[in-house]
Amino acid sequence: MREVLPGKPQANLQAVCTGSWEGTREGTRLIAYISGNALIILGGADKLLQTIYHNEREILGAVAIDEESGKIAVCSRSITFVYKPYGREQGVLKWSLQCSIAVHVDGDMINSLSWGSSEELLTGSSYLTLLSTSEGGSARWQRKLANPAKYAQFSYDASLIASTGQHDRLMKIWRRLSYGSDDVQFDFTYLQHPMAITGMHWRRPYHREQIIDIVLYTFCADHKLRVWAATDPHALQILQLWSTIDMEESIKPRLFEPVHGSSERFAFIIDSRDFIVATERAVEGAEGGEKEQHGLEHLIEVANRSPEVCVVLDDRGHMSAWGLENVGCKARKTTNIFNIAHIEGLNLNLGRHLRKEERHVQYYSFCGDQPSKAFTILAHHFDGRIDWMEAKVDEFFDPSPRQHRWTMIASWTGHTAPIKKIVRTISGQALISRTNDNDGLVWRQRITELGPTLIRHCSIHASEHIHRTSLLDEGKFVVFLHHESVSLWDCRGYEATRIASCNYDLTGKPLCLVLLPHASENSRTVYVATISSRTKGIVWEARMPSLQSVDSIDGQYATPLLQEFCRFEIDSMDDIAFVLPVDPAGSPSDISGFFDTFAKDIAISYTNGGALRCWTAKIDVGGRSVQWLLTSNVETGVIKPSLASGSSIRKAALVDVEKTQLTIWDTRCAQLEFEERFEAQDVIQDLDWSSTPDNQSILAVGFPHRVIFLSQLRYDYLDAGRAWEMIREIRTRDLTPHPIGDSIWLGSGNLVIAAGNQLFVYDKKVEITDNLVTDLRLPSHQSVSNDLFDIVTRLNGPLPVFHPQFLSQCILSGKTSLVQKILIGLWRVLRFYSDGEQLDSFLDIALPQFYNELEAKMRSSYADFSDEEEETEAVTENIAASMIEKLARISLPQLSSREQFHLADIVECVATLEKHCRSIDDYASRFLLFFRQHCLRKSHQARSEQVDVSWREIVWAYHSGSQDILADLVSRQYGGRMLWEHTRESGMLMWMTDLTALRAQFEVIARNEYTKTYEKNPVDCSLYYMALRKKNVLIGLWRMAAWNREQGSTQRFLANNFQEAKWKTAALKNAYALLGKRRFEYAAAFFLLADKLKDAVSVCWNQMQDLQLAISICRVYEGDDGLVLKGLLEDQVLPRAAREGNRWLATWAFWMLNRRDMAVRALISPIYTLLETPESPRLEAKSFLTNDPALVILYRQLRQKTLQTLQGASKISSRIEWEFVLNNAQLYDRMGCDLLALDLVRNWEFLKQLPELKKPFEEHPDLRKMLRRRSSAVVADLPIAKEPSEMWSGSGNRPPTSVFEEPNSNSLLDNFGF
């Protein structure tokens, strides 16, 4: 945690206390204070130990720490709560309620608490009451006071009590006469003062067992410090006046300035024990020149006299320190009180601008428990803050002039009521937090020596309900939207002032307050808008005063203005549920004069139907109007969203109605990037966006008691990896029981979390866990920056050229020779590489070689080597073995261990590919590479479930002309014994186009399924032989299965003639009986025996959930032109592809149906738009995984393969193709393959547009003219034209047949297949 703002301390004299718990050898420094109804316990400047909330009606009045037991007591009006510590030995220090004691106060309230001996507690109100807290809590002694107690404090040895009332000039000293009995007795005397007593302090010993003379210091309204001690044990008075220090006279500025003189005095006592320890630590850490040594020598000389130190301050930066030596001695010398230092220019933030009741300050000084801790001063300002200041005591009391004597470590302040909402400025340098009571605080971020710190800037108290808020001019001004008015507040002072307001009347409920961008020379004028639930809106013009300080003497600054600018209505915001401003993210950009979809979003809206829309606006000052532009529209399918949030760099998050499902969308491409459903108890209640300086997005998701950080990752299409992952989790339950109210990002990357009345500021430091190393691919072999932005940048951005993802995408793009060049370059570097060396991300390869279209496409085996010194230009098996061995021993700095493992896989696969490069084409190369990679990764992973190759690899092999070689290589991979599970895993029967070879392979599978077990069960192969229509072979196998008890009956049954109806019926009965026994595969075999192919396919599809088996049986049983296969593809496969958004499956299915034009269009157009019966896409169909950049490679190659594919490409407009190419370039960029994105946009060739037909029956021009390069390899596969009455291509809706209409010429030509 970077900083904690626990809440505003009460303006009470005993609202803060500190002590060193002496429960162990090393004392634990505790600081406790009260804020509203909360007790806040801290162990350091930014170490919150616990927050304990009481009843909302219980406003706390005082707090006290028992240094002996560690107990903490707080009090409300008439009840005292005692908390005891636990868990210290386990390292989790907390406090729990031991007892609560009601105290008789006679209508007054408890103002003071003090711990005595034996866990006794003294309370001061209109009564002095001594409580015992050891046995449930009880009152042991009580005495009525003439004046309600202002102070009531035990001396350190608990033998005396000093008490005084409000405005009282008498200090009453109570002396205890009896201990350890129920009859507690005290007598008392008075210490007279000329004016009201304003403060007191008992001297503290070095440790509790030390016996020292009792000394009491009192501060009086006459600006004098009086020292009381027991100098005469026989006197009537218990304590006698030992000495007096005139604080008014102790500060005398060197330059007399009566006009600016100050009579304010603040004073505190530094006990001798703390002063000596601080001096010892200053000596231990002494370093520096003569000046520092002089100050240290002076301090040592003072410390040798073991004095108590009285520090006197004024509000002009003057300080006077006095030493009191031998306090309490009977023979006092004049030298017993001496001046230590007189200092000017000491700024302790005493707040001269505050009201008189807020200017009081109480100081607490101590020396930290750890040897490394410096001297600490806590200053409790009654304006609602506690400052933690640290200093080296020699520098603090150095009499010579110094600029910096102390360091502000923390300033504890905040609210007294639960925080409801936090709003930030665009830059993230200021924010405002507000409560349900319409109280707000403006905070500004300040850069200090310790890093960014949040400083309270201004407090706001509004009388009207605050509905929405907008900060202006880095927090100097704020606009509030109320129910019937809007107001402008000046926040440059300590308290905000309302400087302008404007009433309004609007139809519907106002939903938001949006700051509108405008390019204007007058930077003091801004425009804010609200939009109602009825899509009506108002724009207000706010003119802020000049930057001249409001404290200026003349008070002349520009007159503020807040007036209605214009009204508007957005018609396209139908069914609106909510509108809210986007979170500012990314680098700030100047407002351009262009008004288009490239402008930054300023607002986001969502509907009950799940439509997510992003908006930008432009102000027309001259025309006094505003224009709204819809920049993106995403149909998410999330019904009745409960929460949404968008960023200005086109990211949006949406939460469902149950508040447990989170989806993240890229609104630029309208695609889903992340979807997760959390546990029912994890209710999502807040979403906040941030980004790194290079626009890598981070989302903070808030739950009641925790916040998780989600970081975007590079797209990974080969492994279908997640695009977002959790990189940090913050839990607040250990700090406060109050649920989180809101959270927001600062511009520095710090996250501010509001829980109850407290603000927690978390910095950018992320703990590098095993999860980050393993799941997020961070390197574990070197020191990694724990900065949040550095980690997110590493998880995104450009990849080195030897990264496995970049190499894989190069292979898909057909850049095989480039991959060879990269791996050979890496091999040459690795031969002389050792751990820790820097590695060039480009391997010294010239950048034009990555995107030059003239790159050599010849195989490396035919390359012309011009450099005789080069050993080789191709990755052979020997080179691959050498590289893999080297990669196993070293660690590359740009790769994680998992990525390095994948790199070794690719090296082995490329070597295998090189061996077969002369006999296979590019399609086969792609399939073989990724199939080999699939097998290698599977061999290194636990065999938990069957994972098949994707339809992407199946499509590559399907279009290959080297399928016989591929089939042989795949068969060898499985040792020549391919079972159906191996066939399904490789997708072989999906990509084989030769039916003869397919049936031969299917028979091999049937034979292997039969012999896979020792018993050789004919049941295992029945389905396959039935699909091959080889019943006799199956009968022969049953004849040899004498061990099977079903042999006789099955053999007799199969011997019948199943062309007869009665035996078909018998086979069907057996099939249904087997379905009832859940023997689905065997049931499908009996359906085939009854010649019911459709039923057998239905079993494979529905019961077995095996799409490949269903298609394979169709192809083997009736060929590729069968009606059952056609029905399966049209009725099941294509709708499934549409629901899932699987373009690879869709293009394969269309090609199988001989609809090659549709196969090309399926690569670009939404699949559901290509079906005769549109299928509603599921949420997964909108995932980024459906837009694989390899689709653009396949589209470029297929569109010029046949006339049908050219026809399909001609139906894709240039605009859609242009967006398709740009979208894939963005995908490459998100994958970290920026060079491939550059290659794509640089070398893409658009098809020529065909001229429009002017006459109805004009001959259609040759489709091959669309190609910019003439090719004779285009296959003429267009169907022969039909009669006009039979024309219908199936690619669109059927024309109506009820009424004859003259056909349009364009539709006629379409029906001819053009």
Side-chain angles (χ1 to χ4, degrees):
M1 189 187 301
R2 170 68 187 88
E3 187 180 2
V4 56
L5 299 165
K8 179 181 179 180
Q10 305 285 78
N12 295 347
L13 293 173
Q14 207 175 331
V16 181
C17 68
T18 179
S20 180
W21 179 17
E22 300 172 354
T24 59
R25 289 182 301 173
E26 296 182 0
T28 300
R29 173 58 58 177
L30 300 176
I31 303 98
Y33 77 91
I34 53 177
S35 174
N37 65 334
L39 166 63
I40 298 139
I41 309 170
L42 302 104
D46 56 356
K47 185 180 180 181
L48 179 64
L49 298 178
Q50 191 176 357
T51 303
I52 302 173
Y53 287 93
H54 299 76
N55 190 302
E56 292 184 0
R57 293 173 294 179
E58 299 288 350
I59 302 301
L60 304 181
V63 60
I65 297 174
D66 184 10
E67 294 188 345
E68 184 176 5
S69 64
K71 290 184 179 181
I72 299 177
V74 293
C75 63
S76 62
R77 185 175 186 86
S78 61
I79 301 177
T80 301
F81 304 91
V82 179
Y83 295 91
K84 62 179 180 180
Y86 67 92
R88 186 177 187 181
E89 292 74 14
Q90 293 77 23
V92 185
L93 181 58
K94 299 294 177 184
W95 280 259
S96 62
L97 181 66
Q98 178 186 353
C99 61
S100 58
I101 309 171
V103 180
H104 179 64
V105 295
D106 198 15
D108 195 25
M109 64 179 297
I110 303 174
N111 297 315
S112 179
L113 294 174
S114 180
W115 286 96
S117 60
S118 302
E119 301 185 15
E120 291 180 337
L121 181 64
L122 178 70
T123 66
S125 57
S126 56
Y127 289 84
L128 274 186
T129 306
L130 185 63
L131 305 174
S132 173
T133 64
S134 58
E135 297 179 359
S138 61
R140 302 187 62 185
W141 174 80
Q142 191 174 58
R143 187 61 54 90
K144 175 72 173 177
L145 298 178
N147 194 10
K150 175 181 179 182
Y151 293 103
Q153 298 290 322
F154 267 116
S155 63
Y156 211 73
D157 62 357
S159 62
L160 300 179
I161 298 175
S163 68
T164 186
Q166 294 285 346
H167 312 293
D168 202 339
R169 65 182 187 87
L170 298 176
M171 176 70 74
K172 186 177 290 186
I173 304 298
W174 303 77
R175 179 169 53 192
R176 189 164 185 170
L177 302 178
S178 61
Y179 291 88
S181 64
D182 294 334
D183 185 18
V184 178
Q185 297 291 331
F186 286 89
D187 66 354
F188 64 88
T189 59
Y190 291 101
L191 303 180
Q192 294 188 10
H193 294 73
M195 299 181 70
I197 300 170
T198 58
M200 59 166 290
H201 176 83
W202 288 106
R203 181 167 68 172
R204 295 172 176 269
Y206 289 92
H207 49 83
R208 183 169 291 273
E209 289 76 16
Q210 183 186 10
I211 299 176
I212 60 172
D213 294 335
I214 297 176
V215 176
L216 175 66
Y217 301 92
T218 59
F219 303 92
C220 188
D222 62 353
H223 291 168
K224 289 185 180 180
L225 166 69
R226 290 172 172 82
V227 185
W228 307 84
T231 57
D232 185 2
H234 303 290
L236 296 177
Q237 296 284 351
I238 300 174
L239 299 177
Q240 293 81 38
L241 181 64
W242 185 78
S243 184
T244 303
I245 296 178
D246 191 334
M247 295 185 290
E248 184 79 31
E249 296 297 326
S250 64
I251 294 181
K252 291 296 182 181
R254 292 184 175 90
L255 298 177
F256 180 68
E257 299 176 355
V259 177
H260 299 290
S262 172
S263 61
E264 291 285 344
R265 292 295 182 267
F266 309 90
F268 62 96
I269 301 295
I270 302 175
D271 292 299
S272 178
R273 66 173 189 174
D274 293 323
F275 183 74
I276 292 176
V277 172
T279 305
E280 292 174 352
R281 293 180 182 175
V283 172
E284 293 172 357
E287 58 182 17
E290 182 179 351
K291 180 179 178 180
E292 284 75 9
Q293 292 298 326
H294 174 73
L296 187 59
E297 290 175 0
H298 171 69
L299 186 67
I300 295 173
E301 181 182 351
V302 173
N304 286 334
R305 302 173 68 174
S306 301
E308 315 284 334
V309 179
C310 174
V311 180
V312 182
L313 308 164
D314 69 1
D315 56 0
R316 298 289 177 176
H318 302 107
M319 182 184 80
S320 180
W322 297 84
L324 290 85
E325 182 184 10
N326 296 328
V327 178
C329 64
K330 296 180 180 180
R332 185 176 71 84
K333 301 178 182 178
T334 56
T335 57
N336 287 148
I337 299 178
F338 57 93
N339 184 262
I340 298 176
H342 186 86
I343 296 167
E344 297 182 353
L346 184 69
N347 182 16
L348 292 177
N349 299 323
L350 295 179
R352 295 164 50 196
H353 58 281
L354 300 174
R355 296 191 298 267
K356 184 176 181 180
E357 61 270 16
E358 295 180 343
R359 298 183 66 177
H360 183 71
V361 184
Q362 288 197 173
Y363 291 93
Y364 306 85
S365 62
F366 59 87
C367 207
D369 303 317
Q370 303 299 324
S372 59
K373 294 296 184 181
F375 179 67
T376 303
I377 299 175
L378 289 180
H380 174 205
H381 301 262
F382 274 39
D383 63 344
R385 57 193 166 98
I386 301 173
D387 291 339
W388 178 300
M389 300 172 286
E390 289 187 358
K392 293 183 178 180
V393 70
D394 56 327
E395 296 177 355
F396 191 74
F397 292 115
D398 188 359
S400 59
R402 274 183 177 272
Q403 289 292 330
H404 304 288
R405 297 179 180 271
W406 57 275
T407 303
M408 177 72 76
I409 302 300
S411 182
W412 298 330
T413 183
H415 295 270
T416 56
I419 299 171
K420 178 182 180 181
K421 185 66 178 175
I422 310 177
V423 178
R424 56 168 273 185
T425 59
I426 294 178
S427 66
Q429 299 300 316
L431 59 88
I432 179 173
S433 56
R434 60 182 176 88
T435 67
N436 284 324
D437 301 330
N438 303 318
D439 291 336
L441 289 177
V442 177
W443 307 80
R444 301 188 69 180
Q445 186 169 292
R446 182 183 301 168
I447 304 300
T448 65
E449 299 176 357
L450 304 175
T453 302
L454 209 57
I455 304 298
R456 188 184 71 176
H457 177 66
C458 175
S459 61
I460 304 174
H461 307 282
S463 57
E464 299 179 68
H465 174 74
I466 300 174
H467 189 54
R468 294 289 183 266
T469 307
S470 181
L471 274 178
L472 309 176
D473 197 12
E474 299 303 327
K476 297 183 179 68
F477 299 90
V478 63
V479 174
F480 287 143
L481 179 68
H482 309 288
H483 287 312
E484 297 179 352
S485 66
V486 61
S487 58
L488 176 65
W489 295 69
D490 189 338
C491 301
R492 292 175 292 176
Y494 182 75
E495 288 192 2
T497 56
R498 181 171 176 167
I499 56 177
S501 64
C502 177
N503 294 329
Y504 71 90
D505 182 17
L506 187 62
T507 304
K509 179 183 178 181
L511 300 178
C512 63
L513 191 62
V514 182
L515 182 63
L516 301 181
H518 76 289
S520 173
E521 296 180 358
N522 183 10
S523 61
R524 309 305 301 161
T525 301
V526 297
Y527 299 89
V528 292
T530 186
I531 303 173
S532 75
S533 56
R534 300 290 183 88
T535 70
K536 313 284 186 181
I538 303 177
V539 177
W540 290 282
E541 179 183 14
R543 185 185 306 156
M544 298 174 289
S546 64
L547 292 178
Q548 186 177 359
S549 172
V550 295
D551 291 336
S552 59
I553 297 177
D554 54 8
Q556 297 297 321
Y557 54 91
T559 304
L561 175 68
L562 183 64
Q563 63 180 3
E564 184 176 312
F565 179 75
C566 69
R567 290 180 177 255
F568 61 88
E569 182 176 1
I570 306 178
D571 297 331
S572 54
M573 279 192 180
D574 55 338
D575 189 29
I576 186 173
F578 211 85
V579 184
L580 66 159
V582 298
D583 291 340
S587 55
S589 59
D590 297 331
I591 301 173
S592 65
F594 298 101
F595 186 56
D596 50 29
T597 56
F598 293 100
K600 276 199 171 185
D601 297 336
I602 64 168
I604 186 173
S605 67
Y606 58 90
T607 67
N608 291 321
L612 196 64
R613 301 186 179 107
C614 299
W615 304 86
T616 188
K618 183 179 181 180
I619 287 289
D620 182 3
V621 179
R624 298 191 69 82
S625 63
V626 59
Q627 299 177 3
W628 289 88
L629 178 65
L630 179 65
T631 58
S632 61
N633 186 6
V634 183
E635 293 293 339
T636 65
V638 180
I639 305 301
K640 293 185 178 180
S642 60
L643 188 64
S645 178
S647 74
S648 56
I649 54 176
R650 305 293 172 86
K651 300 290 183 185
L654 205 62
V655 180
D656 69 345
V657 66
E658 297 177 356
K659 296 186 178 182
T660 57
Q661 183 192 35
L662 171 67
T663 55
I664 300 177
W665 300 81
D666 184 338
T667 58
R668 181 186 291 105
C669 306
Q671 62 188 15
L672 176 67
E673 295 190 338
F674 177 83
E675 187 271 331
E676 184 168 342
R677 184 171 293 277
F678 297 91
E679 299 292 335
Q681 66 271 16
D682 282 338
V683 177
I684 303 173
Q685 59 184 28
D686 192 26
L687 301 169
D688 294 287
W689 286 99
S690 181
S691 72
T692 63
D694 56 346
N695 290 355
Q696 311 295 346
S697 297
I698 308 168
L699 177 64
V701 184
F703 301 93
H705 294 282
R706 68 185 182 112
V707 177
I708 62 173
F709 292 5
L710 295 176
S711 166
Q712 73 172 43
L713 307 178
R714 297 185 189 95
Y715 285 165
D716 184 3
Y717 289 95
L718 300 179
D719 294 331
R722 289 159 63 99
W724 291 78
E725 194 62 72
M726 187 181 77
I727 60 173
R728 187 179 183 184
E729 181 180 19
I730 296 173
R731 294 185 176 272
T732 61
R733 193 182 291 273
D734 294 337
L735 303 174
T736 172
H738 207 290
I740 295 174
D742 198 7
S743 61
I744 204 162
W745 292 95
L746 294 175
S748 61
N750 293 352
L751 182 72
V752 181
I753 298 177
N757 65 326
Q758 301 175 329
L759 291 174
F760 306 103
V761 184
Y762 289 86
D763 56 20
K764 296 188 294 180
K765 293 180 180 178
V766 177
E767 183 181 358
I768 306 299
T769 62
D770 293 338
N771 175 58
L772 287 178
V773 172
T774 304
D775 295 341
L776 301 186
R777 303 181 293 276
L778 287 179
S780 58
H781 44 71
Q782 62 181 22
S783 60
V784 182
S785 170
N786 62 353
D787 184 87
L788 174 65
F789 284 176
D790 290 344
I791 291 176
V792 175
T793 299
R794 183 178 181 90
L795 295 174
N796 297 274
L799 293 168
V801 296
F802 50 85
H803 193 281
Q805 174 150 288
F806 185 85
L807 294 173
S808 300
Q809 293 300 325
C810 284
I811 294 170
L812 288 175
S813 301
K815 298 180 178 295
T816 310
S817 58
L818 177 61
V819 172
Q820 296 279 4
K821 182 184 289 291
I822 292 172
L823 293 180
I824 290 298
L826 179 63
W827 174 60
R828 293 185 181 126
V829 172
L830 292 182
R831 286 187 298 177
F832 309 102
Y833 180 83
S834 59
D835 281 334
E837 294 182 6
Q838 292 297 321
L839 194 60
D840 181 37
S841 295
F842 300 100
L843 297 175
D844 297 325
I845 300 176
L847 290 183
Q849 297 189 40
F850 291 96
Y851 53 81
N852 190 355
E853 185 67 14
L854 299 178
E855 175 202 4
K857 296 184 179 180
M858 298 174 59
R859 295 295 186 180
S860 58
S861 302
Y862 298 105
D864 180 16
F865 304 115
S866 58
D867 190 350
E868 297 181 357
E869 295 181 359
E870 298 292 342
E871 298 177 5
T872 182
E873 288 293 338
V875 179
T876 63
E877 291 184 339
N878 291 334
I879 292 178
S882 174
M883 291 183 68
I884 293 172
E885 188 272 335
K886 187 73 173 177
L887 288 172
R889 291 190 290 107
I890 65 172
S891 299
L892 300 182
Q894 291 97 326
L895 302 182
S896 68
S897 56
R898 196 165 88 178
E899 291 167 343
Q900 197 161 317
F901 169 76
H902 290 171
L903 175 60
D905 283 352
I906 287 184
V907 170
E908 184 176 347
C909 294
V910 170
T912 304
L913 190 64
E914 176 64 22
K915 186 170 62 173
H916 302 283
C917 64
R918 301 184 187 180
S919 54
I920 58 177
D921 56 15
D922 286 341
Y923 290 110
S925 298
R926 295 186 181 101
F927 171 82
L928 184 60
L929 177 82
F930 292 105
F931 175 69
R932 284 281 300 161
Q933 195 169 339
H934 166 80
C935 295
L936 285 173
R937 294 187 183 183
K938 189 183 70 168
S939 65
H940 292 289
Q941 296 174 353
R943 187 180 178 85
S944 56
E945 59 178 339
Q946 183 71 25
V947 179
D948 305 332
V949 297
S950 68
W951 281 96
R952 177 183 57 239
E953 279 67 59
I954 292 174
V955 170
W956 294 129
Y958 180 70
H959 291 289
S960 172
S962 313
Q963 291 182 356
D964 52 344
I965 300 175
L966 282 184
D968 181 61
L969 293 174
V970 170
S971 180
R972 290 184 188 179
Q973 174 66 33
Y974 298 108
R977 292 185 54 81
M978 286 195 66
L979 302 174
W980 171 248
E981 63 175 312
H982 303 142
T983 308
R984 183 179 56 225
E985 181 182 353
S986 63
M988 180 182 290
L989 299 187
M990 300 298 99
W991 49 258
M992 291 183 72
T993 55
D994 186 351
L995 285 178
T996 303
L998 183 141
R999 290 190 173 102
Q1001 183 62 42
F1002 203 74
E1003 189 167 0
V1004 171
I1005 296 170
R1007 187 163 53 248
N1008 293 334
E1009 286 288 339
Y1010 173 69
T1011 59
K1012 70 179 180 181
T1013 60
Y1014 177 78
E1015 293 85 1
K1016 297 181 181 179
N1017 193 348
V1019 175
D1020 296 337
C1021 62
S1022 296
L1023 177 60
Y1024 305 98
Y1025 279 116
M1026 286 300 178
L1028 289 164
R1029 300 177 186 267
K1030 293 188 176 184
K1031 185 185 70 170
N1032 294 332
V1033 175
L1034 191 58
I1035 293 174
L1037 298 179
W1038 274 106
R1039 190 177 298 119
M1040 295 183 288
W1043 57 271
N1044 195 318
R1045 64 180 183 179
E1046 298 177 355
Q1047 180 197 26
S1049 58
T1050 306
Q1051 192 173 351
R1052 289 191 300 271
F1053 185 76
L1054 292 178
N1056 296 303
N1057 182 9
F1058 288 91
Q1059 299 299 322
E1060 299 178 7
K1062 68 172 184 177
W1063 294 115
K1064 285 186 178 181
T1065 304
L1068 285 175
K1069 290 181 179 180
N1070 278 279
Y1072 288 119
L1074 290 168
L1075 281 178
K1077 297 179 180 179
R1078 304 189 65 81
R1079 298 176 65 181
F1080 300 128
E1081 184 176 324
Y1082 205 25
F1086 275 85
F1087 278 122
L1088 290 178
L1089 185 62
D1091 198 24
K1092 298 294 183 180
L1093 174 61
K1094 188 173 182 180
D1095 294 332
V1097 168
S1098 176
V1099 171
C1100 296
W1101 171 267
N1102 295 314
Q1103 276 73 31
M1104 299 179 65
Q1105 300 290 314
D1106 195 336
L1107 171 62
Q1108 290 195 34
L1109 183 59
I1111 295 174
S1112 300
I1113 290 174
C1114 287
R1115 299 186 69 188
V1116 171
Y1117 195 84
E1118 65 174 1
D1120 288 346
D1121 299 325
L1123 294 178
V1124 176
L1125 177 60
K1126 181 181 178 182
L1128 176 64
L1129 295 176
E1130 291 180 346
D1131 300 335
Q1132 301 293 343
V1133 176
L1134 284 174
R1136 172 180 172 179
R1139 290 193 300 270
E1140 298 176 355
N1142 192 335
R1143 297 183 184 275
W1144 298 100
L1145 178 58
T1147 187
W1148 176 86
F1150 277 125
W1151 201 280
M1152 285 288 296
L1153 290 168
N1154 203 27
R1155 294 304 313 274
R1156 298 177 180 177
D1157 56 336
M1158 306 293 281
V1160 172
R1161 295 175 62 185
L1163 299 175
I1164 297 181
S1165 303
I1167 303 170
Y1168 64 89
T1169 63
L1170 304 178
L1171 305 182
E1172 294 184 24
T1173 304
E1175 189 77 20
S1176 299
R1178 294 203 297 251
L1179 191 63
E1180 61 185 285
K1182 302 172 183 179
S1183 171
F1184 72 98
L1185 293 173
T1186 63
N1187 296 322
D1188 192 334
L1191 291 167
V1192 76
I1193 307 300
L1194 182 63
Y1195 171 74
R1196 177 161 53 185
Q1197 296 179 352
L1198 288 187
R1199 68 179 181 178
Q1200 57 190 16
K1201 194 169 185 178
T1202 70
L1203 289 180
Q1204 271 201 55
T1205 60
L1206 274 175
Q1207 184 186 38
S1210 68
K1211 296 181 180 179
I1212 300 172
S1213 66
S1214 298
R1215 174 73 180 182
I1216 293 177
E1217 184 176 347
W1218 179 75
E1219 292 177 350
F1220 175 64
V1221 173
L1222 282 187
N1223 183 48
N1224 279 276
Q1226 292 171 355
L1227 295 179
Y1228 274 132
D1229 179 70
R1230 180 67 186 271
M1231 294 171 67
C1233 304
D1234 303 63
L1235 293 173
L1236 296 181
L1238 178 60
D1239 171 71
L1240 179 64
V1241 298
R1242 177 187 174 93
N1243 299 315
W1244 183 264
E1245 290 184 355
F1246 290 91
L1247 295 177
K1248 295 180 180 179
Q1249 294 297 312
L1250 292 176
E1252 295 183 2
L1253 299 181
K1254 298 180 180 179
K1255 298 180 181 180
F1257 294 98
E1258 183 180 351
E1259 183 181 357
H1260 200 288
D1262 188 357
L1263 290 170
R1264 284 172 290 191
K1265 292 182 179 180
M1266 299 174 64
L1267 300 175
R1268 297 185 182 274
R1269 302 178 187 179
R1270 299 290 295 177
S1271 174
S1272 60
V1274 179
V1275 178
D1277 60 347
L1278 286 175
I1280 300 175
K1282 302 178 182 179
E1283 294 296 327
S1285 62
E1286 301 175 358
M1287 295 179 184
W1288 180 69
S1289 65
S1291 59
N1293 296 326
R1294 291 180 182 268
T1297 57
S1298 58
V1299 179
F1300 175 80
E1301 295 181 1
E1302 184 70 24
N1304 182 275
S1305 60
N1306 292 332
S1307 64
L1308 285 173
L1309 291 169
D1310 284 342
N1311 291 337
F1312 275 105
F1314 293 104

